Amino acid sequence: MAEISEREILDWLRERDPSRLRELYAWADRVRKEHVGDAIHLRGLIEFSSHCIRQCMYCGLRQANSSLTRYRMSREEILGCARQAVSLGYGTVVMQAGEDDALTAEWIAEIVGWIKRETPLAVTLSLGERTAAELALWREAGADRYLLRFETSDEKLYRAIHPRRSPDGPDRIALLRELRQLGYEIGGGVMVGIPGQSYECLAGDLRTFRALDLDMIGIGPYIAHPMTPLGSGQLRPPVAPGEQTDGSEEMTCKMVALARILCPTANIPSTTALATIDKANGRKQGLLVGANVVMPNLTPVQYRRLYEIYPAKACIDEKPVDCNQCLRGQIHSLGRLVGTGPGSRGEAEEFAGLIEPSDSQLVQVQA
Ligand code: 5AD
Ligand code: FES
């Protein structure tokens, strides 16, 4: 049974010595192999609307960014992407969009229903903060999973970078609990290196992953977008001297490795943001330090450039078939396998006939 104390978590987050970090990464990789195996699951990402009514201080899709041409894909275009996911051998599609009020919950439910009836795909939704009634409707339509990163577990920082939609707007942690109640597999996650984020904040993020018992954990570096208040430096959340984290590949890899050690059975992607800050090796690096999922982009090339959450996104001009080839090549070069089927949490253990006690019994975090 692995044990890791709060103090040790903070020490690892501050660690810079390459040989010590190699130990951390090897530990995380062993935990990954033991609990989720060598399969890497491919989740095809469909970014189907770049309209958003929110004003998140770091995100290029924020409504106030008038320099962005917005698009909304048609139902036929989305279904075309789902068919392509099947033909490329993916087990899941992730339907992602900004908080776009023009997309009705019924319209989305119909598309989810079609994909579930006509294909073997698992459907993951990533549509931001929606009402309990909408989330319930999509679940009834067959949606399997929901991704809603909470971005940071530090409440003050969270509030500074997420203006509320309404004074009583929901809180993302509460929404994740609601989603779990509805029977979704739930995904959360954070950005690493947000201005105003301290090492303590990152340790808090790791604790929150465990407390929520997340099925999926997305961790990516924060990348400054010049058309946003946080990225332009106009907004500077305070942080104590020497406490500011950075959005480097190393810091991101430490967080991925610690998330794997603390949450052994979670599905953890090697994120596009990590691939963006190290185009040559970022994706593979994530897979070497605990990740077991990648999310190839299925968005038609003419829209991709417009879904500019942050600048210079990886694979911006690659066609879906090319990303598919490229990723399979990378996976094989690591001596790993491409997962088949939906790749839900817990599948790997079932296959191995190795259903372990619950997470909390496996890893004890000492307060
Ligand atoms: N840098 C890195 N990641 C970002 N995201 C949004 N803006 C940025 C940025 N500037 C991430 C958030 C969000 C996900 C869809 O993209 O974590 O949840
Ligand atoms: Fe898109 Fe390599 S994953 S080109």
Side-chain angles (χ1 to χ4, degrees):
M1 184 192 293
E3 295 203 1
I4 179 165
S5 69
E6 269 307 295
R7 181 76 258 152
E8 282 172 299
I9 289 176
L10 278 167
D11 288 346
W12 279 121
L13 290 171
R14 291 181 189 278
E15 185 62 66
R16 299 298 321 271
D17 177 46
S19 70
R20 288 283 290 148
L21 288 177
R22 275 196 296 276
E23 279 172 40
L24 176 70
Y25 299 155
W27 180 11
D29 198 48
R30 277 197 308 277
V31 174
R32 187 270 309 155
K33 192 174 171 69
E34 184 181 339
H35 292 271
V36 296
D38 280 337
I40 294 173
H41 303 287
L42 302 178
R43 322 284 203 205
L45 178 64
I46 312 172
E47 298 154 328
F48 67 98
S49 168
S50 66
H51 291 266
C52 189
I53 36 96
R54 301 299 292 272
Q55 304 293 359
C56 302
M57 295 299 197
Y58 50 85
C59 179
L61 301 192
R62 70 198 304 269
Q63 189 189 41
N65 180 10
S66 55
S67 69
L68 198 63
T69 305
R70 309 280 175 162
Y71 70 90
R72 205 172 269 131
M73 281 165 58
S74 69
R75 175 193 149 96
E76 268 319 308
E77 286 174 311
I78 300 172
L79 300 184
C81 290
R83 287 189 199 98
Q84 188 167 28
V86 176
S87 70
L88 294 174
Y90 303 163
T92 300
V93 280
V94 180
M95 292 175 56
Q96 188 177 84
E99 289 188 29
D100 179 357
D101 281 350
L103 302 175
T104 67
E106 291 71 24
W107 186 82
I108 291 169
E110 266 181 39
I111 293 176
V112 171
W114 185 91
I115 298 175
K116 293 302 295 183
R117 274 192 313 277
E118 305 291 330
T119 77
L121 295 167
V123 174
T124 303
L125 298 177
S126 177
L127 303 172
E129 297 168 24
R130 309 294 297 230
T131 65
E134 290 172 320
L135 301 173
L137 180 72
W138 299 332
R139 177 78 188 128
E140 279 158 31
D144 303 278
R145 313 183 185 131
Y146 202 96
L147 300 179
L148 184 67
R149 288 193 183 176
F150 53 84
E151 317 296 358
T152 174
S153 57
D154 183 293
E155 271 205 55
K156 251 175 108 180
L157 179 58
Y158 182 84
R159 279 293 147 227
I161 62 177
H162 295 95
R164 285 182 207 261
R165 184 173 181 174
S166 60
D168 58 350
D171 120 28
R172 291 197 187 183
I173 306 273
L175 272 177
L176 284 166
R177 295 211 163 94
E178 174 88 41
L179 286 159
R180 155 98 357 111
Q181 286 296 314
L182 289 167
Y184 284 94
E185 273 193 68
I186 57 169
V190 297
M191 292 182 291
V192 177
I194 307 170
Q197 181 186 58
S198 65
Y199 292 93
E200 294 278 353
C201 294
L202 289 181
D205 296 345
L206 292 163
R207 274 197 302 276
T208 307
F209 297 156
R210 276 177 62 87
L212 291 170
D213 188 25
L214 294 176
D215 301 301
M216 302 162 289
I217 304 173
I219 299 169
Y222 162 73
I223 299 170
H225 189 310
M227 298 306 289
T228 64
L230 202 64
S232 68
Q234 187 193 328
L235 175 72
R236 293 173 195 272
V239 61
E243 286 299 317
Q244 175 64 55
T245 58
D246 65 72
S248 62
E249 183 167 20
E250 182 177 287
M251 192 66 77
T252 307
C253 285
K254 287 193 272 188
M255 280 294 285
V256 170
L258 290 164
R260 169 59 68 205
I261 291 164
L262 289 162
C263 308
T265 62
N267 281 320
I268 302 182
S270 181
T271 55
T272 304
L274 185 57
T276 296
I277 61 168
D278 175 0
K279 296 221 165 57
N281 289 313
R283 196 105 53 180
K284 282 203 233 177
Q285 244 3 80
L287 294 171
L288 287 170
V289 303
N292 70 321
V293 168
V294 283
M295 296 172 66
N297 203 320
L298 285 172
T299 311
V301 174
Q302 72 267 31
Y303 298 128
R304 244 184 234 203
R305 208 166 256 295
L306 304 176
Y307 201 81
E308 199 194 49
I309 294 179
Y310 47 78
K313 239 164 99 181
C315 304
I316 201 83
D317 288 321
E318 309 308 321
K319 290 205 259 329
V321 282
D322 296 329
C323 283
N324 179 53
Q325 281 304 319
C326 170
L327 285 173
R328 285 175 193 265
Q330 294 192 39
I331 290 168
H332 290 133
S333 78
L334 296 173
R336 309 262 284 274
L337 317 162
V338 176
T340 52
S344 302
R345 183 184 183 192
E347 264 180 20
E349 295 141 276
E350 282 162 35
F351 284 133
L354 218 183
I355 299 182
E356 295 274 0
S358 75
D359 242 353
S360 54
Q361 289 167 283
L362 284 170
V363 185
Q364 295 272 309
V365 176
Q366 298 152 352

